[in-house]
Amino acid sequence: MNAVIVEGDHILERFDGDEPVIHDKAALLIEDGVVRSIGPVDDLRRTRPDAQRYGGQGSIIIPGLIDAHHHVGLTPFQAGSPDHALELWFASRLGLRAIDPRLDTLYSAFEMIASGVTTVQHLHSRAPGGLEGLYRTSEAILSAYDEIGMRVSFSMALRDQNRLVYGDDQAFTASVPEPLRPALSRYFADYTVPFDDQINLSTDLIEAVDKRDRQQVQLAPANLHWLSDPALDAIAELSAERDLLMHAHVLETAYQWDYARQRTGGSAVDYLAERGLLTHRLTLGHGVWMSEADIERCADEGCCICHNCSSNLRLKSGIAPVNRYLAHGLSVALGMDEAGINEDRDMLQEMRLVKHMHREPGLDSPAPTGAQVMRMATEHGAKTTPFGNRIGSLSPGSCGDIVVLDWKTMTWPYQDPALPLADVIVHRAKPNAVRTVLIGGEAVYHEGRFTHVDRASILEQISETLSAPPDADTLERRQLAEDVMPHVRAFYETYDLPVGVPQGRRNLRGEP
Protein backbone atom coordinates (compact mmCIF):
# COMPACT_ATOMS: atom_id res chain seq x y z
CA MET A 1 0.00 0.00 0.00
CA ASN A 2 1.61 3.25 -1.19
CA ALA A 3 1.99 5.76 1.65
CA VAL A 4 2.80 9.46 1.85
CA ILE A 5 3.10 11.68 4.93
CA VAL A 6 2.70 15.45 4.59
CA GLU A 7 3.87 17.44 7.60
CA GLY A 8 3.23 21.06 8.50
CA ASP A 9 3.19 23.70 11.17
CA HIS A 10 -0.50 24.16 10.30
CA ILE A 11 -2.93 21.99 8.32
CA LEU A 12 -6.18 23.49 7.10
CA GLU A 13 -8.33 20.38 7.06
CA ARG A 14 -11.82 21.66 6.18
CA PHE A 15 -14.42 24.27 7.09
CA ASP A 16 -17.04 24.22 9.82
CA GLY A 17 -19.43 26.72 8.27
CA ASP A 18 -17.10 29.56 7.34
CA GLU A 19 -14.62 28.73 10.09
CA PRO A 20 -11.49 26.81 9.08
CA VAL A 21 -10.58 23.69 11.04
CA ILE A 22 -6.83 23.90 11.57
CA HIS A 23 -4.41 21.39 13.10
CA ASP A 24 -1.12 22.71 14.49
CA LYS A 25 2.15 20.76 14.35
CA ALA A 26 0.47 17.84 12.61
CA ALA A 27 0.71 15.55 9.62
CA LEU A 28 -1.49 13.81 7.08
CA LEU A 29 -1.17 10.14 6.22
CA ILE A 30 -2.18 9.37 2.62
CA GLU A 31 -2.48 5.75 1.55
CA ASP A 32 -3.28 4.77 -2.02
CA GLY A 33 -4.18 8.34 -2.86
CA VAL A 34 -6.65 8.84 0.02
CA VAL A 35 -6.24 10.74 3.31
CA ARG A 36 -6.36 8.10 6.04
CA SER A 37 -5.64 10.14 9.16
CA ILE A 38 -4.49 13.43 10.66
CA GLY A 39 -2.35 13.34 13.76
CA PRO A 40 0.91 14.13 15.51
CA VAL A 41 3.92 13.91 13.21
CA ASP A 42 5.83 11.37 15.31
CA ASP A 43 2.81 9.07 15.61
CA LEU A 44 2.26 8.93 11.86
CA ARG A 45 5.96 8.42 11.19
CA ARG A 46 5.89 5.42 13.51
CA THR A 47 2.75 4.12 11.81
CA ARG A 48 4.33 4.24 8.35
CA PRO A 49 8.11 4.52 8.59
CA ASP A 50 8.28 3.61 4.88
CA ALA A 51 6.18 6.57 3.77
CA GLN A 52 7.52 9.24 1.45
CA ARG A 53 7.51 12.57 3.26
CA TYR A 54 6.75 16.11 2.12
CA GLY A 55 6.46 19.43 3.92
CA GLY A 56 7.98 19.76 7.36
CA GLN A 57 8.85 22.65 9.62
CA GLY A 58 7.81 25.99 8.13
CA SER A 59 5.17 24.42 5.90
CA ILE A 60 1.49 25.31 5.66
CA ILE A 61 -0.77 22.55 4.28
CA ILE A 62 -4.03 23.36 2.51
CA PRO A 63 -6.48 21.42 0.35
CA GLY A 64 -5.87 21.58 -3.38
CA LEU A 65 -7.55 24.60 -4.96
CA ILE A 66 -10.28 24.20 -7.58
CA ASP A 67 -10.61 26.30 -10.72
CA ALA A 68 -14.31 25.77 -11.26
CA HIS A 69 -14.63 27.52 -14.65
CA HIS A 70 -11.92 27.20 -17.30
CA HIS A 71 -11.93 27.14 -21.09
CA VAL A 72 -8.60 27.28 -22.92
CA GLY A 73 -4.82 27.22 -22.56
CA LEU A 74 -3.25 30.11 -24.43
CA THR A 75 -5.35 33.13 -23.60
CA PRO A 76 -7.36 34.84 -26.34
CA PHE A 77 -5.16 37.92 -25.86
CA GLN A 78 -2.05 35.84 -26.51
CA ALA A 79 -3.71 34.34 -29.58
CA GLY A 80 -4.67 37.70 -31.05
CA SER A 81 -7.93 38.92 -29.51
CA PRO A 82 -7.83 42.03 -27.28
CA ASP A 83 -10.32 42.40 -24.45
CA HIS A 84 -13.72 43.72 -25.58
CA ALA A 85 -17.18 43.70 -24.11
CA LEU A 86 -18.14 40.01 -24.22
CA GLU A 87 -20.52 40.31 -27.17
CA LEU A 88 -17.87 41.99 -29.35
CA TRP A 89 -15.19 39.66 -28.04
CA PHE A 90 -16.98 36.68 -29.59
CA ALA A 91 -16.52 38.31 -32.99
CA SER A 92 -12.91 39.25 -32.30
CA ARG A 93 -12.11 35.64 -31.48
CA LEU A 94 -13.06 34.42 -34.94
CA GLY A 95 -9.49 35.09 -36.02
CA LEU A 96 -7.59 33.35 -33.21
CA ARG A 97 -4.59 31.22 -34.07
CA ALA A 98 -5.29 27.50 -33.76
CA ILE A 99 -3.07 25.38 -31.54
CA ASP A 100 -2.80 21.67 -30.85
CA PRO A 101 -5.21 20.92 -27.95
CA ARG A 102 -2.62 18.85 -26.09
CA LEU A 103 -0.09 21.70 -26.03
CA ASP A 104 -2.83 24.21 -25.25
CA THR A 105 -4.12 22.19 -22.31
CA LEU A 106 -0.69 21.60 -20.84
CA TYR A 107 0.13 25.30 -21.06
CA SER A 108 -2.65 26.39 -18.72
CA ALA A 109 -2.24 23.30 -16.54
CA PHE A 110 1.32 24.41 -15.78
CA GLU A 111 0.05 27.77 -14.53
CA MET A 112 -2.84 26.34 -12.55
CA ILE A 113 -0.85 23.65 -10.77
CA ALA A 114 1.99 26.05 -9.96
CA SER A 115 -0.54 28.25 -8.13
CA GLY A 116 -2.00 25.34 -6.16
CA VAL A 117 -4.88 24.21 -8.40
CA THR A 118 -5.37 20.45 -8.29
CA THR A 119 -8.79 20.19 -9.97
CA VAL A 120 -10.06 22.11 -12.99
CA GLN A 121 -13.54 22.31 -14.42
CA HIS A 122 -12.71 22.43 -18.13
CA LEU A 123 -15.71 23.73 -20.10
CA HIS A 124 -14.63 23.49 -23.70
CA SER A 125 -16.73 25.85 -25.76
CA ARG A 126 -16.04 24.89 -29.36
CA ALA A 127 -13.95 22.82 -31.75
CA PRO A 128 -13.83 22.82 -35.55
CA GLY A 129 -14.28 19.78 -37.74
CA GLY A 130 -17.81 18.70 -36.99
CA LEU A 131 -18.59 15.76 -34.73
CA GLU A 132 -15.24 14.10 -35.44
CA GLY A 133 -13.50 17.29 -34.37
CA LEU A 134 -15.43 17.34 -31.08
CA TYR A 135 -14.39 13.78 -30.28
CA ARG A 136 -10.80 14.35 -31.33
CA THR A 137 -10.45 17.55 -29.29
CA SER A 138 -12.11 16.06 -26.20
CA GLU A 139 -9.84 13.04 -26.24
CA ALA A 140 -6.72 15.18 -26.68
CA ILE A 141 -7.65 17.42 -23.74
CA LEU A 142 -8.42 14.51 -21.42
CA SER A 143 -5.19 12.82 -22.44
CA ALA A 144 -3.19 15.96 -21.66
CA TYR A 145 -4.63 16.23 -18.16
CA ASP A 146 -3.84 12.55 -17.61
CA GLU A 147 -0.30 13.16 -18.84
CA ILE A 148 0.39 15.92 -16.31
CA GLY A 149 -1.59 14.18 -13.53
CA MET A 150 -4.24 16.86 -12.96
CA ARG A 151 -7.77 16.13 -11.80
CA VAL A 152 -10.39 17.35 -14.30
CA SER A 153 -14.14 17.64 -14.66
CA PHE A 154 -14.62 18.00 -18.42
CA SER A 155 -17.47 18.95 -20.68
CA MET A 156 -17.96 19.97 -24.29
CA ALA A 157 -20.44 22.84 -24.33
CA LEU A 158 -23.91 22.03 -25.64
CA ARG A 159 -25.35 24.60 -28.04
CA ASP A 160 -27.64 24.54 -31.06
CA GLN A 161 -28.28 28.16 -32.07
CA ASN A 162 -27.07 31.77 -32.13
CA ARG A 163 -23.38 30.98 -32.57
CA LEU A 164 -22.13 34.56 -33.00
CA VAL A 165 -24.81 37.02 -31.87
CA TYR A 166 -27.88 36.49 -29.73
CA GLY A 167 -29.91 35.82 -32.86
CA ASP A 168 -30.38 33.22 -35.59
CA ASP A 169 -27.23 32.31 -37.56
CA GLN A 170 -28.92 32.41 -40.95
CA ALA A 171 -30.77 35.62 -40.23
CA PHE A 172 -27.58 37.33 -39.11
CA THR A 173 -25.71 36.05 -42.16
CA ALA A 174 -28.44 37.48 -44.40
CA SER A 175 -28.15 40.85 -42.63
CA VAL A 176 -24.47 41.44 -43.45
CA PRO A 177 -23.21 42.63 -46.86
CA GLU A 178 -23.24 39.90 -49.49
CA PRO A 179 -19.42 39.69 -49.83
CA LEU A 180 -19.15 38.62 -46.15
CA ARG A 181 -21.76 35.89 -46.34
CA PRO A 182 -19.71 33.01 -47.81
CA ALA A 183 -16.95 33.24 -45.17
CA LEU A 184 -19.48 33.64 -42.35
CA SER A 185 -21.49 30.67 -43.63
CA ARG A 186 -18.33 28.53 -43.78
CA TYR A 187 -17.51 29.48 -40.20
CA PHE A 188 -20.97 28.53 -38.95
CA ALA A 189 -20.86 25.25 -40.88
CA ASP A 190 -17.51 24.26 -39.37
CA TYR A 191 -18.83 24.72 -35.82
CA THR A 192 -22.31 23.27 -36.28
CA VAL A 193 -23.04 19.74 -35.06
CA PRO A 194 -26.53 18.20 -34.74
CA PHE A 195 -27.69 18.47 -31.14
CA ASP A 196 -28.42 14.76 -30.77
CA ASP A 197 -24.80 14.07 -31.76
CA GLN A 198 -23.61 16.50 -29.08
CA ILE A 199 -25.69 14.68 -26.46
CA ASN A 200 -24.26 11.35 -27.63
CA LEU A 201 -20.75 12.77 -27.34
CA SER A 202 -21.42 13.76 -23.72
CA THR A 203 -22.74 10.33 -22.78
CA ASP A 204 -19.86 8.62 -24.63
CA LEU A 205 -17.34 10.70 -22.69
CA ILE A 206 -19.09 9.92 -19.40
CA GLU A 207 -18.72 6.22 -20.12
CA ALA A 208 -15.12 6.63 -21.30
CA VAL A 209 -13.98 8.18 -17.99
CA ASP A 210 -16.07 5.90 -15.78
CA LYS A 211 -13.09 4.01 -14.34
CA ARG A 212 -10.64 6.93 -14.26
CA ASP A 213 -9.87 8.18 -10.77
CA ARG A 214 -8.94 11.73 -11.79
CA GLN A 215 -11.41 12.38 -14.61
CA GLN A 216 -15.14 13.04 -14.64
CA VAL A 217 -17.56 14.50 -17.20
CA GLN A 218 -20.61 16.66 -16.64
CA LEU A 219 -23.09 18.48 -18.87
CA ALA A 220 -22.50 22.05 -20.01
CA PRO A 221 -25.65 23.74 -21.32
CA ALA A 222 -23.74 26.69 -22.74
CA ASN A 223 -26.18 29.55 -22.09
CA LEU A 224 -29.83 30.42 -22.57
CA HIS A 225 -29.21 32.24 -25.85
CA TRP A 226 -27.18 29.33 -27.25
CA LEU A 227 -29.90 26.73 -26.64
CA SER A 228 -33.36 26.26 -28.07
CA ASP A 229 -36.26 25.11 -25.89
CA PRO A 230 -36.04 21.50 -27.17
CA ALA A 231 -32.32 21.48 -26.35
CA LEU A 232 -32.91 22.82 -22.84
CA ASP A 233 -35.57 20.17 -22.29
CA ALA A 234 -33.29 17.37 -23.51
CA ILE A 235 -30.48 18.47 -21.18
CA ALA A 236 -32.83 18.70 -18.20
CA GLU A 237 -34.19 15.24 -18.92
CA LEU A 238 -30.73 13.67 -19.28
CA SER A 239 -29.48 15.37 -16.10
CA ALA A 240 -32.46 14.10 -14.11
CA GLU A 241 -32.36 10.56 -15.53
CA ARG A 242 -28.63 10.04 -14.89
CA ASP A 243 -28.14 12.45 -11.96
CA LEU A 244 -25.59 14.46 -13.93
CA LEU A 245 -24.26 17.81 -12.78
CA MET A 246 -24.59 20.78 -15.12
CA HIS A 247 -22.58 23.99 -15.49
CA ALA A 248 -24.11 26.83 -17.52
CA HIS A 249 -23.16 30.42 -18.26
CA VAL A 250 -26.10 32.51 -17.03
CA LEU A 251 -26.66 36.29 -17.00
CA GLU A 252 -23.01 37.10 -17.58
CA THR A 253 -23.77 40.48 -19.16
CA ALA A 254 -26.53 43.08 -19.32
CA TYR A 255 -27.14 42.05 -22.93
CA GLN A 256 -27.88 38.50 -21.79
CA TRP A 257 -30.28 39.94 -19.23
CA ASP A 258 -32.18 41.75 -21.99
CA TYR A 259 -32.04 38.71 -24.30
CA ALA A 260 -33.80 36.71 -21.58
CA ARG A 261 -36.41 39.46 -21.20
CA GLN A 262 -37.05 39.46 -24.97
CA ARG A 263 -37.25 35.67 -25.23
CA THR A 264 -39.14 34.80 -22.07
CA GLY A 265 -40.81 38.00 -20.93
CA GLY A 266 -39.03 37.64 -17.61
CA SER A 267 -35.96 36.24 -15.92
CA ALA A 268 -33.44 33.75 -17.32
CA VAL A 269 -33.39 32.07 -13.91
CA ASP A 270 -37.16 31.63 -13.86
CA TYR A 271 -37.09 30.26 -17.38
CA LEU A 272 -34.41 27.70 -16.51
CA ALA A 273 -36.63 26.65 -13.61
CA GLU A 274 -39.61 26.25 -15.94
CA ARG A 275 -37.55 24.00 -18.22
CA GLY A 276 -36.41 21.82 -15.31
CA LEU A 277 -32.76 22.90 -15.18
CA LEU A 278 -32.74 24.98 -11.98
CA THR A 279 -31.91 22.24 -9.48
CA HIS A 280 -29.18 21.33 -7.01
CA ARG A 281 -27.37 19.77 -9.98
CA LEU A 282 -26.84 23.16 -11.67
CA THR A 283 -23.97 25.59 -11.30
CA LEU A 284 -24.56 29.04 -12.75
CA GLY A 285 -21.38 30.52 -14.17
CA HIS A 286 -21.08 34.31 -13.68
CA GLY A 287 -24.63 35.30 -12.62
CA VAL A 288 -23.57 38.96 -12.66
CA TRP A 289 -27.00 40.31 -13.60
CA MET A 290 -29.13 38.21 -11.25
CA SER A 291 -31.84 40.07 -9.36
CA GLU A 292 -32.54 39.58 -5.67
CA ALA A 293 -35.45 37.33 -6.64
CA ASP A 294 -33.14 35.30 -8.90
CA ILE A 295 -30.66 34.84 -6.09
CA GLU A 296 -33.38 33.78 -3.66
CA ARG A 297 -34.74 31.24 -6.13
CA CYS A 298 -31.28 29.76 -6.76
CA ALA A 299 -30.74 29.47 -3.02
CA ASP A 300 -34.11 27.76 -2.59
CA GLU A 301 -33.24 25.21 -5.29
CA GLY A 302 -29.75 24.53 -3.91
CA CYS A 303 -27.87 25.75 -6.99
CA CYS A 304 -24.22 26.75 -6.91
CA ILE A 305 -22.67 29.91 -8.37
CA CYS A 306 -19.26 30.12 -9.98
CA HIS A 307 -17.81 33.61 -9.64
CA ASN A 308 -15.36 34.61 -12.38
CA CYS A 309 -14.10 37.92 -11.06
CA SER A 310 -11.21 38.61 -13.46
CA SER A 311 -13.23 37.69 -16.53
CA ASN A 312 -16.12 39.90 -15.47
CA LEU A 313 -13.76 42.86 -15.20
CA ARG A 314 -11.80 42.23 -18.38
CA LEU A 315 -14.87 41.69 -20.58
CA LYS A 316 -16.88 44.59 -19.13
CA SER A 317 -19.53 42.26 -17.74
CA GLY A 318 -19.89 43.97 -14.37
CA ILE A 319 -19.28 43.17 -10.71
CA ALA A 320 -21.22 40.17 -9.45
CA PRO A 321 -23.29 40.56 -6.24
CA VAL A 322 -21.13 38.11 -4.31
CA ASN A 323 -22.10 39.43 -0.90
CA ARG A 324 -25.76 38.86 -1.77
CA TYR A 325 -24.95 35.30 -2.83
CA LEU A 326 -23.28 34.67 0.51
CA ALA A 327 -26.07 36.35 2.47
CA HIS A 328 -28.56 33.93 0.89
CA GLY A 329 -26.39 30.91 1.71
CA LEU A 330 -25.40 30.06 -1.86
CA SER A 331 -22.27 27.98 -2.39
CA VAL A 332 -19.94 30.24 -4.39
CA ALA A 333 -17.05 28.67 -6.29
CA LEU A 334 -14.23 30.52 -8.07
CA GLY A 335 -13.16 30.28 -11.70
CA MET A 336 -10.53 32.01 -13.80
CA ASP A 337 -12.40 31.56 -17.07
CA GLU A 338 -10.21 32.43 -20.09
CA ALA A 339 -7.53 34.19 -18.01
CA GLY A 340 -6.97 35.99 -14.73
CA ILE A 341 -6.42 39.68 -14.20
CA ASN A 342 -2.67 39.22 -14.77
CA GLU A 343 -3.15 37.33 -18.06
CA ASP A 344 -2.41 33.99 -16.44
CA ARG A 345 -4.05 31.24 -14.38
CA ASP A 346 -2.87 32.21 -10.89
CA MET A 347 -5.60 31.08 -8.49
CA LEU A 348 -3.87 32.68 -5.51
CA GLN A 349 -4.11 36.05 -7.26
CA GLU A 350 -7.74 35.38 -8.18
CA MET A 351 -8.58 34.71 -4.54
CA ARG A 352 -6.91 37.97 -3.52
CA LEU A 353 -8.85 39.89 -6.18
CA VAL A 354 -12.16 38.38 -5.02
CA LYS A 355 -11.51 39.28 -1.41
CA HIS A 356 -10.79 42.92 -2.21
CA MET A 357 -13.27 43.45 -5.06
CA HIS A 358 -16.29 42.85 -2.85
CA ARG A 359 -15.43 45.11 0.10
CA GLU A 360 -18.43 47.42 -0.07
CA PRO A 361 -18.25 51.00 1.29
CA GLY A 362 -19.22 51.59 4.90
CA LEU A 363 -18.05 50.82 8.42
CA ASP A 364 -20.15 47.69 8.77
CA SER A 365 -20.71 46.88 5.12
CA PRO A 366 -20.53 43.28 3.92
CA ALA A 367 -17.22 41.89 2.72
CA PRO A 368 -15.97 38.33 2.29
CA THR A 369 -13.44 37.11 4.84
CA GLY A 370 -10.24 35.32 3.94
CA ALA A 371 -11.78 32.09 5.23
CA GLN A 372 -14.83 32.53 3.02
CA VAL A 373 -12.63 33.05 -0.03
CA MET A 374 -10.57 29.98 0.85
CA ARG A 375 -13.79 28.02 1.19
CA MET A 376 -14.92 29.23 -2.25
CA ALA A 377 -11.68 27.95 -3.78
CA THR A 378 -11.89 24.57 -2.06
CA GLU A 379 -15.11 23.18 -0.55
CA HIS A 380 -17.53 25.22 -2.66
CA GLY A 381 -15.57 24.54 -5.83
CA ALA A 382 -15.75 20.83 -5.06
CA LYS A 383 -19.57 20.96 -4.93
CA THR A 384 -19.69 22.11 -8.55
CA THR A 385 -17.84 19.01 -9.79
CA PRO A 386 -18.80 15.34 -9.96
CA PHE A 387 -15.99 14.62 -7.47
CA GLY A 388 -18.11 16.23 -4.73
CA ASN A 389 -16.78 16.02 -1.19
CA ARG A 390 -13.96 13.69 -2.24
CA ILE A 391 -12.01 16.89 -2.97
CA GLY A 392 -11.88 20.35 -1.40
CA SER A 393 -10.94 19.15 2.08
CA LEU A 394 -8.30 17.01 3.79
CA SER A 395 -10.57 15.05 6.10
CA PRO A 396 -10.04 11.29 6.30
CA GLY A 397 -11.56 9.68 3.22
CA SER A 398 -10.82 12.66 0.99
CA CYS A 399 -8.54 12.46 -2.02
CA GLY A 400 -4.95 13.35 -1.25
CA ASP A 401 -5.05 16.61 -3.21
CA ILE A 402 -2.71 18.82 -1.22
CA VAL A 403 -0.75 22.05 -1.54
CA VAL A 404 2.34 22.66 0.55
CA LEU A 405 3.10 26.37 1.08
CA ASP A 406 6.35 27.71 2.50
CA TRP A 407 5.63 30.19 5.30
CA LYS A 408 8.94 32.05 5.04
CA THR A 409 8.65 32.60 1.30
CA MET A 410 5.03 33.65 1.66
CA THR A 411 5.59 36.15 4.48
CA TRP A 412 9.22 37.34 4.30
CA PRO A 413 10.45 39.45 6.00
CA TYR A 414 7.65 39.40 8.58
CA GLN A 415 4.03 38.56 9.25
CA ASP A 416 2.32 38.95 12.60
CA PRO A 417 1.21 35.38 13.40
CA ALA A 418 -1.80 36.60 15.38
CA LEU A 419 -3.76 37.29 12.18
CA PRO A 420 -5.98 34.46 10.92
CA LEU A 421 -4.11 31.92 8.81
CA ALA A 422 -6.66 32.03 5.98
CA ASP A 423 -6.31 35.80 5.75
CA VAL A 424 -2.53 35.55 5.58
CA ILE A 425 -2.74 32.98 2.77
CA VAL A 426 -5.23 34.99 0.74
CA HIS A 427 -3.37 38.29 1.24
CA ARG A 428 0.20 37.10 0.79
CA ALA A 429 0.55 33.72 -0.92
CA LYS A 430 1.99 33.76 -4.43
CA PRO A 431 3.08 30.87 -6.66
CA ASN A 432 6.70 31.19 -5.47
CA ALA A 433 5.49 29.95 -2.06
CA VAL A 434 4.04 26.74 -3.54
CA ARG A 435 6.57 24.06 -2.71
CA THR A 436 4.70 20.87 -3.54
CA VAL A 437 1.39 19.95 -5.16
CA LEU A 438 0.08 16.43 -4.65
CA ILE A 439 -2.89 15.01 -6.52
CA GLY A 440 -4.19 11.68 -5.32
CA GLY A 441 -1.17 11.52 -3.03
CA GLU A 442 1.22 11.84 -5.97
CA ALA A 443 3.58 14.79 -6.27
CA VAL A 444 2.92 16.31 -9.69
CA TYR A 445 4.85 19.49 -8.88
CA HIS A 446 7.78 19.78 -6.46
CA GLU A 447 10.32 22.55 -5.90
CA GLY A 448 9.48 24.30 -9.14
CA ARG A 449 9.50 21.21 -11.36
CA PHE A 450 6.68 19.22 -12.91
CA THR A 451 7.30 15.54 -12.35
CA HIS A 452 5.61 14.12 -15.46
CA VAL A 453 6.00 16.73 -18.20
CA ASP A 454 8.95 18.88 -19.26
CA ARG A 455 7.51 22.40 -19.15
CA ALA A 456 10.38 23.98 -21.10
CA SER A 457 9.96 21.50 -23.94
CA ILE A 458 6.21 22.13 -24.20
CA LEU A 459 6.65 25.90 -24.20
CA GLU A 460 9.29 25.57 -26.90
CA GLN A 461 6.91 23.51 -29.03
CA ILE A 462 4.21 26.15 -28.63
CA SER A 463 6.60 28.91 -29.56
CA GLU A 464 7.86 27.04 -32.61
CA THR A 465 4.34 26.19 -33.79
CA LEU A 466 3.00 29.71 -33.49
CA SER A 467 6.12 31.34 -34.92
CA ALA A 468 5.13 30.03 -38.34
CA PRO A 469 3.11 32.47 -40.50
CA PRO A 470 -0.68 32.17 -40.21
CA ASP A 471 -2.21 29.82 -42.76
CA ALA A 472 -4.80 30.85 -45.33
CA ASP A 473 -7.73 29.72 -43.15
CA THR A 474 -6.54 31.84 -40.21
CA LEU A 475 -6.05 34.86 -42.43
CA GLU A 476 -9.56 34.46 -43.84
CA ARG A 477 -11.05 34.26 -40.34
CA ARG A 478 -9.06 37.29 -39.20
CA GLN A 479 -10.43 39.29 -42.08
CA LEU A 480 -13.91 38.01 -41.29
CA ALA A 481 -13.54 39.10 -37.67
CA GLU A 482 -12.55 42.60 -38.75
CA ASP A 483 -15.28 42.88 -41.37
CA VAL A 484 -18.13 41.50 -39.27
CA MET A 485 -17.36 43.51 -36.10
CA PRO A 486 -19.38 46.63 -37.00
CA HIS A 487 -22.38 44.47 -37.87
CA VAL A 488 -22.16 42.67 -34.52
CA ARG A 489 -21.98 46.02 -32.78
CA ALA A 490 -25.04 47.25 -34.69
CA PHE A 491 -26.98 44.12 -33.70
CA TYR A 492 -26.82 45.05 -30.01
CA GLU A 493 -27.52 48.79 -30.32
CA THR A 494 -31.26 48.22 -30.02
CA TYR A 495 -31.03 46.26 -26.77
CA ASP A 496 -32.98 47.69 -23.84
CA LEU A 497 -30.38 47.73 -21.07
CA PRO A 498 -30.61 48.49 -17.37
CA VAL A 499 -29.89 51.99 -16.11
CA GLY A 500 -26.15 52.52 -15.77
CA VAL A 501 -25.09 50.54 -18.84
CA PRO A 502 -23.92 53.18 -21.34
CA GLN A 503 -24.84 51.50 -24.64
CA GLY A 504 -28.21 50.59 -26.05
CA ARG A 505 -31.61 51.96 -25.16
CA ARG A 506 -32.32 52.82 -21.56
CA ASN A 507 -34.53 50.69 -19.37
CA LEU A 508 -36.14 53.38 -17.23
CA ARG A 509 -37.44 50.86 -14.75
CA GLY A 510 -33.92 50.51 -13.40
CA GLU A 511 -33.93 46.72 -13.48
CA PRO A 512 -32.63 44.25 -12.54
Side-chain angles (χ1 to χ4, degrees):
M1 184 181 292
N2 180 51
V4 172
I5 291 176
V6 185
E7 307 169 3
D9 291 345
H10 308 287
I11 296 176
L12 197 167
E13 176 195 347
R14 59 182 176 84
F15 289 87
D16 182 3
D18 285 330
E19 291 300 315
V21 176
I22 296 172
H23 303 263
D24 299 325
K25 303 296 182 183
L28 296 162
L29 173 62
I30 300 98
E31 293 179 329
D32 292 338
V34 176
V35 176
R36 298 301 181 191
S37 60
I38 305 174
V41 174
D42 290 343
D43 289 355
L44 294 188
R45 286 182 182 178
R46 282 192 295 270
T47 300
R48 291 302 303 262
D50 59 324
Q52 189 169 7
R53 287 158 48 189
Y54 293 99
Q57 186 176 359
S59 296
I60 309 298
I61 313 303
I62 64 172
L65 305 177
I66 298 160
D67 181 357
H69 192 112
H70 168 80
H71 293 300
V72 294
L74 261 73
T75 72
F77 185 89
Q78 287 178 288
S81 174
D83 292 350
H84 289 281
L86 180 75
E87 286 73 17
L88 299 182
W89 189 66
F90 292 141
S92 173
R93 292 183 63 193
L94 294 180
L96 294 185
R97 293 289 299 269
I99 182 171
D100 174 81
R102 170 182 173 265
L103 298 178
D104 194 53
T105 301
L106 290 174
Y107 177 79
S108 53
F110 291 141
E111 294 186 336
M112 287 187 281
I113 291 171
S115 68
V117 175
T118 55
T119 298
V120 58
Q121 190 122 251
H122 187 126
L123 309 162
H124 209 75
S125 58
R126 61 178 191 158
L131 181 61
E132 181 181 344
L134 295 184
Y135 274 96
R136 185 170 57 247
T137 300
S138 299
E139 290 165 358
I141 291 168
L142 288 169
S143 178
Y145 283 121
D146 182 62
E147 183 178 354
I148 200 168
M150 193 172 190
R151 196 178 302 279
V152 58
S153 170
F154 177 79
S155 59
M156 185 65 76
L158 298 164
R159 57 193 298 180
D160 71 336
Q161 63 178 21
N162 304 349
R163 291 169 182 82
L164 183 56
V165 297
Y166 302 160
D168 180 72
D169 299 341
Q170 292 184 347
F172 182 72
T173 301
S175 75
V176 304
E178 195 280 332
L180 298 184
R181 295 173 192 170
L184 189 56
S185 294
R186 284 193 294 273
Y187 172 79
F188 284 143
D190 203 25
Y191 287 92
T192 298
V193 174
F195 190 74
D196 287 347
D197 288 342
Q198 296 179 53
I199 289 288
N200 290 337
L201 167 69
S202 294
T203 56
D204 285 349
L205 291 174
I206 289 167
E207 293 172 5
V209 305
D210 183 51
K211 302 300 182 183
R212 301 178 190 175
D213 179 62
R214 299 185 193 178
Q215 297 190 347
Q216 290 288 325
V217 169
Q218 64 171 277
L219 302 177
N223 204 323
L224 179 61
H225 56 267
W226 282 323
L227 290 161
S228 65
D229 287 352
L232 291 171
D233 294 343
I235 295 168
E237 182 179 356
L238 179 60
S239 172
E241 284 181 355
R242 301 186 60 166
D243 196 27
L244 299 174
L245 295 187
M246 301 172 285
H247 192 120
H249 296 70
V250 177
L251 293 173
E252 182 173 353
T253 72
Y255 295 91
Q256 293 177 13
W257 172 84
D258 193 52
Y259 170 85
R261 184 191 62 80
Q262 294 180 44
R263 175 171 168 179
T264 73
S267 159
V269 169
D270 287 343
Y271 199 69
L272 292 175
E274 291 173 18
R275 312 307 303 196
L277 285 99
L278 199 75
T279 77
H280 66 280
R281 296 184 300 276
L282 178 67
T283 295
L284 293 84
H286 295 279
V288 177
W289 291 87
M290 291 169 63
S291 67
E292 189 77 7
D294 291 335
I295 296 170
E296 289 176 359
R297 185 154 196 185
C298 288
D300 289 343
E301 298 294 345
C303 301
C304 296
I305 298 286
C306 184
H307 177 40
N308 305 302
C309 191
S310 287
S311 174
N312 294 341
L313 293 174
R314 293 185 60 167
L315 301 181
K316 302 172 76 172
S317 299
I319 298 175
V322 168
N323 291 316
R324 302 307 303 148
Y325 301 157
L326 296 175
H328 284 282
L330 281 165
S331 293
V332 181
L334 300 183
M336 291 183 282
D337 213 321
E338 305 280 0
I341 201 71
N342 288 337
E343 189 59 20
D344 58 15
R345 263 56 63 112
D346 179 352
M347 182 56 93
L348 297 168
Q349 172 66 41
E350 190 72 13
M351 293 161 62
R352 193 153 41 250
L353 180 66
V354 169
K355 184 176 190 301
H356 298 315
M357 179 59 61
H358 301 289
R359 295 179 62 77
E360 299 179 16
L363 296 180
D364 299 311
S365 59
T369 66
Q372 285 177 313
V373 173
M374 286 286 298
R375 193 181 182 197
M376 293 177 197
T378 54
E379 179 184 301
H380 285 180
K383 288 183 66 175
T384 73
T385 78
F387 298 104
N389 59 13
R390 293 175 54 207
I391 62 174
S393 79
L394 297 177
S395 299
S398 301
C399 295
D401 296 0
I402 298 165
V403 180
V404 179
L405 299 169
D406 182 73
W407 175 264
K408 181 176 180 180
T409 302
M410 183 168 63
T411 62
W412 182 260
Y414 179 72
Q415 174 60 55
D416 190 318
L419 291 180
L421 178 64
D423 282 343
V424 174
I425 293 170
V426 172
H427 276 263
R428 302 204 60 185
K430 300 177 179 65
N432 66 346
V434 176
R435 285 290 173 262
T436 306
V437 176
L438 297 100
I439 302 177
E442 176 191 21
V444 300
Y445 180 76
H446 183 61
E447 300 295 346
R449 187 180 70 85
F450 292 88
T451 59
H452 296 310
V453 182
D454 183 346
R455 174 167 48 180
S457 173
I458 297 299
L459 298 186
E460 185 62 36
Q461 290 178 59
I462 293 172
S463 176
E464 182 178 341
T465 299
L466 296 180
S467 294
D471 60 18
D473 179 62
T474 301
L475 292 175
E476 179 183 272
R477 287 186 288 102
R478 282 185 174 178
Q479 188 62 53
L480 176 62
E482 181 179 339
D483 292 341
V484 81
M485 182 68 80
H487 304 286
V488 172
R489 181 184 293 275
F491 177 88
Y492 292 104
E493 286 177 350
T494 61
Y495 269 53
D496 185 16
L497 303 182
V499 170
V501 182
Q503 183 179 340
R505 298 186 312 218
R506 299 282 65 78
N507 177 348
L508 300 181
R509 294 168 295 178
E511 297 174 343

